[in-house]
Amino acid sequence: MKSIKNKLSEIKSKIDEKVTVVAVSKTKPIYDILKLYEDGHFDFGENKVQELIVKNKELPKDIKWHMIGHLQRNKVKQIISFIHLIHSVDSIRVLNKINDEAKKINRKVNVLLQVKISENDLKYGFDLNEVQNLLENDFLKKYDFVNVLGLMGMASFTQNNNIINDEFKALNSIYSKFKKTYKFTTLSIGMSGDYELALKNNSNMLRLGSIIFGHRS
Ligand SMILES: *Cc1c(COP(=O)(O)O)cnc(C)c1O
């Protein structure tokens, strides 16, 4: 069996170095993260605030933590001082909250807007039309303590690559349309099962869990 270290370096060797791989370590132990860290990997993703806080406490401070799961407003405060990138901003209310909490500690916080591109029962994210409308109306101007670096999306859970491709394409078209205006740098699409399709659709940030760490129980 290949080590998680080998799995990650194999994937990295196949993709452009401009693409950031976020190793999604949710449910996985500290020592798995350390193995990759000691091998020079610094970007890790978690989807639960509680787990993120514990891991942040126990692990080296130069790890770049990515929050990729739904973030409740009352938990923003707990991660605001150390989070590297919040991928999962799915409402104006949570964006306002992040701005308020960031202002209190005078730290500019990096975020992505999560867009609902799948027809599935995924509950979170702005609708495509909604996000397009917001961006057309220059609404990001008023956030002094938030850097919106780009967009994030999750494709449908399906074997049908055409569906996944269409979903990624739709998100990339909005991303590309507003890239210049907002100086976007980051399109976070692609997970273990669909990252190759995501790369074909301009992804420069992959969130990879099971393909590196093995299946989660
Ligand atoms: C768990 C998770 C991933 C990683 O999923 P894998 O299929 O294991 O690669 C990526 N993005 C989000 C938002 C997740 O919750």
Side-chain angles (χ1 to χ4, degrees):
M1 220 180 84
K2 274 193 206 133
S3 70
I4 57 175
K5 222 167 77 177
N6 288 344
K7 282 185 190 145
L8 178 58
S9 58
E10 190 181 305
I11 294 163
K12 279 181 169 176
S13 72
K14 284 192 289 194
I15 62 180
D16 195 305
E17 41 181 65
K18 279 177 243 150
V19 175
T20 301
V21 174
V22 178
V24 177
S25 49
K26 62 190 188 199
T27 77
K28 298 296 174 182
I30 297 281
Y31 58 80
D32 275 356
I33 298 174
L34 268 179
K35 273 186 229 161
L36 299 180
Y37 172 81
E38 280 159 7
D39 202 38
H41 188 82
F42 299 101
D43 291 275
F44 292 90
E46 292 286 336
N47 70 339
K48 296 220 160 72
V49 166
Q50 196 48 43
E51 191 174 348
L52 180 54
I53 288 169
V54 170
K55 286 175 170 171
N56 174 59
K57 240 184 220 144
E58 296 190 16
L59 282 155
K61 291 298 162 260
D62 55 348
I63 283 185
K64 297 172 178 169
W65 289 109
H66 297 248
M67 177 59 189
I68 63 171
H70 176 65
L71 179 58
Q72 287 171 280
R73 284 190 309 147
N74 61 2
K75 297 197 173 156
V76 167
K77 198 184 167 123
Q78 300 178 54
I79 63 168
I80 201 78
S81 66
F82 69 87
I83 199 73
H84 174 69
L85 177 61
I86 302 172
H87 292 229
S88 43
V89 172
D90 54 13
S91 70
I92 297 292
R93 292 173 78 220
V94 79
L95 190 62
N96 290 342
K97 182 70 178 174
I98 292 168
N99 193 63
D100 290 349
E101 293 296 339
K103 186 174 182 172
K104 285 184 198 163
I105 60 164
N106 195 28
R107 175 176 194 244
K108 252 197 149 171
V109 174
N110 296 326
V111 308
L112 304 175
L113 304 179
Q114 180 170 354
V115 185
K116 198 155 67 182
I117 51 175
S118 145
E119 297 298 314
N120 291 7
D121 56 348
L122 290 170
K123 295 186 286 282
Y124 301 115
F126 293 96
D127 291 331
L128 276 168
N129 288 334
E130 196 180 359
V131 87
Q132 170 133 340
N133 251 320
L134 290 172
L135 294 173
E136 268 164 6
N137 290 299
D138 218 15
F139 90 115
L140 296 181
K141 250 199 202 141
K142 65 174 190 185
Y143 296 99
D144 290 335
F145 288 86
V146 179
N147 279 326
V148 179
L149 301 185
L151 305 177
M152 180 273 223
M154 282 167 95
S156 294
F157 189 68
T158 167
Q159 302 298 324
N160 187 334
N161 282 350
N162 293 326
I163 293 176
I164 297 172
N165 197 59
D166 286 348
E167 292 171 352
F168 285 159
K169 204 174 181 173
L171 187 58
N172 180 36
S173 88
I174 294 190
Y175 174 78
S176 299
K177 182 172 172 190
F178 292 100
K179 187 176 190 310
K180 231 176 147 180
T181 314
Y182 290 99
K183 301 193 172 69
F184 283 160
T185 58
T186 308
L187 179 60
S188 169
I189 49 173
M191 304 174 31
S192 293
D194 57 23
Y195 76 92
E196 278 150 330
L197 276 175
L199 290 172
K200 285 186 187 138
N201 285 285
N202 201 32
S203 171
N204 59 11
M205 190 168 277
L206 305 173
R207 306 178 312 271
L208 304 179
S210 47
I211 200 172
I212 299 169
F213 294 103
H215 286 289
R216 292 175 293 271
S217 43

